[in-house]
Amino acid sequence: TFYCFVRLCLDKILLQCVLQSRTLSGADAINALRPFYFAVHPDFFGQHPKEREVNENSLKRLNGYLENLQKPGFSSFKPTQLTFYVREREPNSSNVQESFSASGFRAVSFTLHTRDLLSTVLDILNSCSLSTEHVQSLNVNSQPHKDVKSTVNRPIKWDKTYYSFTGFKDPEEELEQAQRVETTLLSWLDDNEASAVKKLKKSFPLRKELERLKIELSHELQLSDIRWQRSWGIAHRCSQLHSLGRLVQQRPEILENVKGRTVVFTDRSGMSAAGHIMLGTMDVHHHWTKIFERLPNYYKLQKRLLLLEDRISQLLGGIQVVYIEELQPLLTLEEYFETLNSFYNKLRDSRLPFHPRSLRGLQMILESDRYAPSLHEFGHFMIPTVCDPAALQWFIFAKAQEARENLKRKEEMMITEKELINTSTERFSLDRLYKEPSVSSAQMIDCCKRLLEESLPYLQGMHLCISHFYSVLQDGDLCIPWNWK
């Protein structure tokens, strides 16, 4: 009824007046956002590298927004669009630690344009369909009475249904539309180019230091490469290389077995499924030393792992078992060996009638978080470790020809992508053009083709990263979404 509608609007206005008359501290905001952090934290997306990276990047930008809100006198706000993968809750779960289903998550996008912590916290929770009841119980500080009075005199914010009934324009929707229109590549570069140049120039000495350290350590240890799992800043990377350099000076004898290997700085220490030496960035030299001491044992396990892959290949008509770092979670050698061994035992017992070498030239990767086999656009089969052998046999036979066509298309696409990166780098006089791992080759190709149709003098001498968001990294790299407008 009309009475209920009016009552709903008045209740909402009263609630907003109460909320806007209070303020949150930084600690209160963190406490209020605990359900949100629990739902989106990258550590819970270990089996989903793409979603993990999206959440990592969005959390960095969100933390920057929250920090700016707490700076005294800070008034220049730009709307910030964020995307998070939010883990789904089981509908009837009472235990918070077990309330998220194994199957999934959903993508949520929203734009922040509020100027106080409380409104921002509520916007985030509401956008992700998370409860806001606990926010009311926080110990928030009351503002002076004059602030409350000024809040009450602010324009009325009607319920959405009001605009549906009256036909009037919703000012919030108009604002969001205007913000979406404003976020174009040219306008964003115009606003952020000066800041990026300043940060880039400031990072030059550190970049040279990083390159020097990397070359020296690679040469001294005869390493194939030195990599980083995440996009840490230049200063952080230099610090990690200095730590490795000190270890080399203190214990040179333990580093004799690293020749020809790749060292990856990551979240934990060990050897990866790809055979790379992992050095956990939170570990001390004692942990790194033990990893180097264990290398001979790791190499023995790696030989057993390669033998296991060959046996699986023989049982599946010659199809090659591969581990693709860009598409799979970062597994340790032990974890991957257990996965292969379990799958091999299952295949051996089923005795599938594959003709020897009938699937030679094809590739497959094993996944522990899927229940049905699929074929990737690049031609490799994505096989769940729990897949029924009979269903696996039928799927591979049915998709074998398509897989070969996709593998051929992959080679063509990789060549096209490399050519477009080189052409774009030269055309815009970029110092570097690269992409985040979560950006596919098809997306990179589309992005570069459209960039080459534009005139972009802003990019000369810059480091350009193709990503999913607009941002300026701390060392001056410009990040733009692959599907920019």
Side-chain angles (χ1 to χ4, degrees), residues 222-236:
Q222 300 184 59
L223 295 173
S224 173
D225 195 10
I226 297 177
R227 302 180 192 170
W228 285 264
Q229 181 197 4
R230 298 192 190 179
S231 53
W232 282 297
I234 305 296
H236 196 172

Side-chain angles (χ1 to χ4, degrees), residues 445-456:
I445 289 171
D446 175 72
C447 177
C448 289
K449 283 182 176 178
R450 293 191 299 114
L451 280 175
L452 289 169
E453 296 174 356
E454 302 291 328
S455 175
L456 301 170

Side-chain angles (χ1 to χ4, degrees), residues 232-252:
W232 282 297
I234 305 296
H236 196 172
R237 296 187 182 200
C238 284
S239 175
Q240 291 158 1
L241 290 184
H242 278 299
S243 294
L244 180 57
R246 286 193 295 271
L247 182 60
V248 172
Q249 297 300 321
Q250 296 166 6
R251 298 288 302 276

Side-chain angles (χ1 to χ4, degrees), residues 252-266:
E253 75 281 358
I254 65 172
L255 301 171
E256 296 175 354
N257 297 311
V258 301
K259 182 178 179 180
R261 294 284 169 169
T262 293
V263 168
V264 181
F265 290 97
T266 181

